[in-house]
Amino acid sequence: MDAARAPRAERAPGRTLDRLQAGPVIDTVERLHRRIDARFATRGLSDVAAELTVLARDVAEGSGAIRGRLRVTRLLSRVLVGAVVVAAVVTLWVALRDAVSGGPDRGFEWLPLIESAVNDLVFTAIAVWFLVALPSRLERGRLLGLLHRLRSLAHIIDMHQLTKDPERLREGYESTAQSVDPGLGRAAMEHYLDYCSELLSLVGKTAALCAEESRDDVVLATVATVERLTTEMSSKIWQKISLLPD
């Protein structure tokens, strides 16, 4: 019984398992950055890991700030929606009262009044739709900007591993004048490719943090695209690792 309860007791206080937490993701990215810097300090991969750390922090720190701005924006939009609806109702009521009390005597003369009322209703509906959707659009714009940076970073990581060809380490390999020498031995190349795969995985995890902050269809679709992209790139890297000579 005590052994079964042990995992529950070891759970960190305030830590839930129903959503991805930003803190552990940032800690993992920072730890990976230190590992890469310790082994490949003079290579650009360390700078890529540092940039991913900045992105992960931007996602985490921006979440709290955007929530506050969104609350204010939603409150203002609701006040404006109420004001627009009240103004439209009052305008239609005044126009209808004047038309009934001293309006046209013939039926066809009511057509301009009806057309004006329909136009007022249409423009009121457009204004209400715009104001209701405004907070979500602001949130979508911020998250899509972060996801675009993450997608670009994934391609940069892929460029770093592109020239790390395991075939160069095989006996009998013949290079040409255009061959790129990565300057890595077998063990170093394995570490390098492994770090690239870990970075891609953490790019996907950072993108998933954006999905924790929004249920917007465009944001969720972009997150899925970034996750699929990093998974495919990581699969190519592991194919290279499997081809390293023993």
Side-chain angles (χ1 to χ4, degrees), residues 76-142:
L76 290 176
S77 67
R78 288 170 183 171
V79 171
L80 291 175
V81 166
V84 168
V85 171
V86 170
V89 170
V90 171
T91 301
L92 289 174
W93 180 79
V94 171
L96 182 61
R97 184 194 61 184
D98 293 343
V100 170
S101 61
D105 297 329
R106 286 169 292 184
F108 69 88
E109 294 180 349
W110 284 84
L111 291 178
L113 295 176
I114 296 174
E115 181 181 2
S116 177
V118 171
N119 288 336
D120 291 340
L121 289 174
V122 170
F123 286 120
T124 299
I126 293 174
V128 169
W129 176 83
F130 174 80
L131 291 172
V132 170
L134 181 60
S136 299
R137 289 179 178 272
L138 293 176
E139 181 185 28
R140 177 194 296 176
R142 183 190 74 90

Side-chain angles (χ1 to χ4, degrees), residues 20-31 56 202 205-207 209:
L20 183 63
Q21 301 290 330
V25 174
I26 295 174
D27 292 342
T28 305
V29 175
E30 291 176 343
R31 190 182 310 114
L202 288 171
K205 296 297 181 292
T206 306
L209 288 176

